[in-house]
Amino acid sequence: RQYQRRVHGKAALFIFMYRDSPILCLPFQLLKTLVELDHHLMSWRHRHSLMVHRMLGNKVGTGGSVGYQYLRATVDKHTVFRDLFNLSTFLVPRSHLPPLPPSVQRQLDFHFHTQPSKL
């Protein structure tokens, strides 16, 4: 599982770094959307915990939990895409990125093959 997370993290980092490559534009948009979704979930959890604090104070929560304290702790604890949030730790200025080797660049380009019509 740990190895799998590292491989996925490296792939996501590669996509973030070389997002201008035509074939990586859609994967980059997907990763960006996942980060935004996670951000919105965190914002909702935060607003919900504040509403509970305003309504119940420090009383026991309606589900038997410790109420506000429990909800407040879930804001940071239950991040779905934590690895994607942490990618910024490894980003370098794009001007410092090494150019991709030509063989890799060829594999990342779109290739169109036309077949002659058989009339």
Side-chain angles (χ1 to χ4, degrees), residues 44-108:
W44 181 86
R45 284 189 193 106
H46 176 70
R47 287 191 312 272
H48 180 68
S49 70
L50 291 177
M51 185 266 312
V52 167
H53 192 234
R54 197 170 48 243
M55 301 296 285
L56 298 178
N58 287 323
K59 295 180 192 172
V60 174
T62 56
S65 70
V66 291
Y68 168 73
Q69 298 300 330
Y70 167 77
L71 291 174
R72 185 69 187 126
T74 64
V75 172
D76 296 325
K77 188 187 297 184
H78 296 294
T79 305
V80 181
F81 302 108
R82 184 178 309 274
D83 293 344
L84 296 180
F85 268 96
N86 292 333
L87 277 181
S88 60
T89 305
F90 304 104
L91 295 178
V92 297
R94 301 201 43 221
S95 60
H96 290 65
L97 280 179
L100 292 172
S103 61
V104 174
Q105 186 64 44
R106 267 194 309 279
Q107 291 178 354
L108 291 177

Side-chain angles (χ1 to χ4, degrees), residues 15-65:
I15 291 169
F16 265 80
M17 301 297 270
Y18 293 99
R19 62 183 171 261
D20 289 337
S21 180
I23 206 160
L24 296 177
C25 288
L26 285 177
F28 173 71
Q29 290 299 320
L30 174 64
L31 292 176
K32 197 167 83 168
T33 301
L34 291 175
V35 169
E36 288 174 9
L37 174 68
D38 210 4
H39 174 76
H40 290 301
L41 287 170
M42 288 171 59
S43 296
W44 181 86
R45 284 189 193 106
H46 176 70
R47 287 191 312 272
H48 180 68
S49 70
L50 291 177
M51 185 266 312
V52 167
H53 192 234
R54 197 170 48 243
M55 301 296 285
L56 298 178
N58 287 323
K59 295 180 192 172
V60 174
T62 56
S65 70

